[in-house]
Amino acid sequence: MILLDGKKISAEIKNEIKKDVDSYIKKGYRQPHLVAILVGNDPASTFYVKSKMKSCAQVGFKSTNLNFESNISEERLLEEIKKLNNDEKVDGFIVQLPLPEHINVNKVLAAIDPEKDIDGFHPFNLGRLILGMDTFVPATPLGILEMMKRYNIDTKGKDVVILGRSNIVGKPLAISLVQKQYPGNATVTIVHSKTENLNVKLRNADILVAAIGMPGFVKENMVKEDAVVIDVGINRVEDKTKKSGYRIVGDVDFENVASKCSFISPVPGGVGLMTVVSLLLNTLKAYKNRYGI
Ligand code: NDP
């Protein structure tokens, strides 16, 4: 079994980004600039935004966090987005999800300039993804693709089963993996809560990606011998031995599944770190596009 070490490869990628940024700064360009909009004070969202800001600093990006009260109106939020769209000094920005219920998330995402849409959630960019055109691939699928590349995981002709059909993970990953490219050329099945004979389908997977948000859901008997298992889940479970009172686990029962796999990604230390680094890659891409460099 080989561990898909998100900690190691995300550090490598950050070094590569930093070198790139340093070379642009030397040539007289300004720093790449990422802005994160955070609405409200949900602890998980606040944590994610903080870790994105911290990663920006590590690679030499400027970052700005715009924090708004949870009762901000949709109209006002759309105005803020318009400002960022028009700000020459902003290369890319994200609106941290989820948003409060009174705000129409699709309307907000569609208001982002596709050139600055570093989360890749704009319908224009998702359309380009389907067509196999150059685009901003959403950060989590991009992180998984990068992880596959760095470990030379063979995807051609393989049966990939993706557990979870969300717009941010399952669907865009499935689209990427069926394209005529590497990683890709796979036979992809998406399974979800309405899927019949789920275990049979999971057991057929050469590559199994779990993204459902249920701690330890994927058990040993659901995984084929020598499968590649990629765990996207980030779940808090109570743990009295920890100061915080909880620990983070994935959607895979890692302890019992790992020995059966050819490759497996751990949680923490896997896809989560790759997601953050992919957001940096998308920001760098937006910056380079802006200057044609
Ligand atoms: P969503 O809640 O949007 O989607 C969950 C999906 O799982 C749905 O398609 C749902 O099916 C399916 N599902 C739920 N229960 C079952 C079940 N018992 N059997 C089969 N399918 C089921 O989740 P996200 O995609 O946003 O996130 C999934 C997990 O990944 C979470 O733990 C989240 O925290 C984590 N995550 C991690 C990231 C990272 O960087 N590592 C980034 C984003 C998310 P249905 O559609 O039928 O309801």
Side-chain angles (χ1 to χ4, degrees):
M1 182 274 287
I2 296 172
L3 201 69
L4 297 166
D5 189 345
K7 202 169 171 186
K8 178 171 157 265
I9 48 178
S10 65
E12 279 169 18
I13 298 171
K14 278 185 188 167
N15 277 335
E16 292 162 15
I17 297 174
K18 173 112 184 46
K19 271 191 196 149
D20 245 15
V21 172
D22 288 347
S23 77
Y24 294 129
I25 304 282
K26 265 192 199 142
K27 287 179 194 149
Y29 292 96
R30 62 162 174 78
Q31 283 176 291
H33 183 195
L34 176 152
V35 176
I37 294 182
L38 176 63
V39 178
N41 56 5
D42 172 67
S45 295
T46 307
F47 172 81
Y48 291 139
V49 168
K50 267 193 191 152
S51 92
K52 287 165 190 175
M53 303 282 116
K54 197 173 139 198
S55 298
C56 281
Q58 288 168 346
V59 297
F61 287 6
K62 181 180 172 188
S63 69
T64 307
N65 176 11
L66 297 179
N67 205 342
F68 300 107
E69 297 289 333
S70 57
N71 63 0
I72 185 176
S73 69
E74 184 180 286
E75 196 184 2
R76 170 81 203 291
L77 186 58
L78 292 171
E79 271 168 31
E80 294 294 334
I81 289 174
K82 204 168 169 187
K83 274 192 225 161
L84 294 174
N85 285 341
N86 294 328
D87 188 338
E88 284 296 314
K89 294 204 172 85
V90 173
D91 299 296
F93 63 99
I94 60 156
V95 179
Q96 184 66 43
L97 301 180
L99 287 171
E101 279 189 1
H102 67 277
I103 297 176
N104 180 335
V105 62
N106 286 335
K107 206 165 162 187
V108 167
L109 296 178
I112 298 173
D113 178 351
E115 306 277 330
K116 295 189 177 189
D117 173 37
I118 49 175
D119 254 340
F121 297 156
H122 192 287
F124 178 86
N125 285 324
L126 288 170
R128 290 178 68 90
L129 186 71
I130 291 176
L131 296 172
M133 297 165 75
D134 184 50
T135 187
F136 294 107
V137 178
T140 303
L142 183 61
I144 294 170
L145 297 172
E146 198 57 44
M147 189 175 238
M148 288 174 161
K149 275 190 207 164
R150 303 243 165 185
Y151 281 90
N152 289 315
I153 288 174
D154 187 15
T155 56
K156 188 171 151 194
K158 301 294 175 197
D159 282 308
V160 176
V161 179
I162 301 172
L163 187 49
R165 57 175 160 179
S166 73
N167 290 338
I168 63 168
V169 186
K171 282 192 234 168
L173 181 64
I175 290 162
S176 299
L177 287 172
V178 290
Q179 300 291 0
K180 292 181 184 174
Q181 62 189 17
Y182 174 74
N185 279 315
T187 305
V188 183
T189 306
I190 304 185
V191 294
H192 46 77
S193 70
K194 306 290 182 286
T195 298
E196 291 181 3
N197 301 319
L198 183 75
N199 289 10
V200 174
K201 289 176 173 92
L202 295 181
R203 270 199 302 273
N204 186 45
D206 300 311
I207 300 173
L208 196 166
V209 181
I212 59 171
M214 298 186 77
F217 179 90
V218 177
K219 303 274 186 277
E220 196 185 351
N221 64 351
M222 303 177 186
V223 178
K224 187 175 172 175
E225 199 70 45
D226 287 333
V228 176
V229 173
I230 297 177
D231 193 351
V232 182
I234 299 180
N235 310 292
R236 277 183 184 194
V237 294
E238 198 183 288
D239 185 342
K240 294 207 170 97
T241 68
K242 303 274 176 196
K243 214 167 135 194
S244 59
Y246 68 85
R247 72 193 149 93
I248 300 292
V249 300
D251 289 343
V252 177
D253 176 11
F254 184 91
E255 264 181 32
N256 295 306
V257 169
S259 61
K260 235 186 152 174
C261 304
S262 54
F263 295 87
I264 185 166
S265 72
V267 177
V271 175
L273 296 170
M274 295 305 293
T275 297
V276 177
V277 102
S278 298
L279 191 66
L280 302 177
L281 285 172
N282 276 346
T283 308
L284 188 63
K285 183 185 175 90
Y287 170 83
K288 286 182 173 177
N289 289 348
R290 164 172 299 272
Y291 289 108
I293 49 181

